[in-house]
Amino acid sequence: MFETNSYPETAFFFYFPSSQLGADSMDKLEKLGYNYKQSYMGEGLKTVGRARNLFGQVNYKINEHIKSSTNVSTSYSYSDGFNPYFYFAPNPTNSSEIGVARADQSTKDSKRTYFQVQQNFNFDFNIGNVRNRTVAGFDYMRMNDNQYFLFTDFDWVPFNATDYSNMNGQTLGAKYTALQSGSDFEKNNTYISKGKRDIYSGYISNVITPVEGLNILTSVRYESVNFKGGQTGQKLTDSFSQEHGHQNSELFTRFFLINYPFSETSRIVFQ
């Protein structure tokens, strides 16, 4: 478990081709004036982040040939605050001058949780002189997504500016406030990822060793994904599900021949 209230890691991107920037690497941009020691932003652009992960396992030996393993895990993440980022760009009013375009992708009370339960049974037995190792089990996972992103461009600044503090928590917050007064804010400046998903699966696999050095693996897995509805971007997941179906189920099969003809470290795999 951890919680942070700090400045996000600085990220620079190459959104423009090298033909427009006159450089294709950080070394060349330094020659144009880029200073890697400069933050290119002011105070107050922090974000709060939380993460909690819990895992539990119970192993039980039923007899000499059967073992049980039960696994339970849960994960929670949270984010709220600014996340400024930068990209190298020509001056909008003078394309021969290269500098830094400043922008932001914030999160607002964004959460994501996972819950998973897995039960496995391991069998080790012989049929005649042939050893069989079998795993059979089931798995359930619930994902609950509730994330809200805000984004906007801020400005363009030259490499040789003496003060970059005008991009700060107060001014960026004021820009979002001004944007929210417009009718197209949700459409042009937000991205929503929201919804619940249940994933059910059952599986069985078996490995036999008919002769020394040869293993044969067969497996079958059934998986069903059930969307509970939500939103992706500006589109409701419900309307998407009506077009493509709320539930998606699939059956997977695998067959492998694994041969060790020379030594324990050499193998040939046929699939």
Side-chain angles (χ1 to χ4, degrees), residues 88-205:
F88 302 108
N91 185 334
T93 60
N94 179 10
S95 61
S96 64
E97 183 182 14
I98 306 302
V100 176
R102 303 190 292 183
D104 177 74
Q105 179 183 281
S106 294
T107 52
K108 183 178 180 182
D109 196 29
S110 295
K111 307 179 186 73
R112 173 177 281 185
T113 59
Y114 290 92
F115 175 75
Q116 185 172 20
V117 177
Q118 184 181 74
Q119 173 64 50
N120 290 319
F121 294 98
N122 293 270
F123 304 85
D124 193 337
F125 58 95
N126 286 351
I127 297 179
N129 294 323
V130 179
R131 185 184 180 189
N132 287 255
R133 283 152 290 174
T134 303
V135 177
F138 62 86
D139 183 279
Y140 165 75
M141 184 172 72
R142 156 65 69 92
M143 186 187 76
N144 190 353
D145 207 14
N146 189 7
Q147 300 189 83
Y148 187 80
F149 299 92
L150 306 85
F151 52 88
T152 182
D153 292 327
F154 189 77
D155 65 3
W156 180 94
V157 290
F159 287 138
N160 59 359
T162 58
D163 185 10
Y164 297 101
S165 63
N166 64 319
M167 183 185 183
N168 53 58
Q170 183 176 355
T171 57
L172 190 53
K175 178 155 190 176
Y176 278 122
T177 300
L179 288 170
Q180 286 171 352
S181 64
S183 59
D184 293 331
F185 174 72
E186 291 294 331
K187 177 182 178 181
N188 297 329
N189 298 96
T190 68
Y191 185 89
I192 298 172
S193 180
K194 185 177 182 180
K196 296 178 181 179
R197 178 184 303 175
D198 290 326
I199 303 175
Y200 307 87
S201 62
Y203 44 86
I204 183 169
S205 65

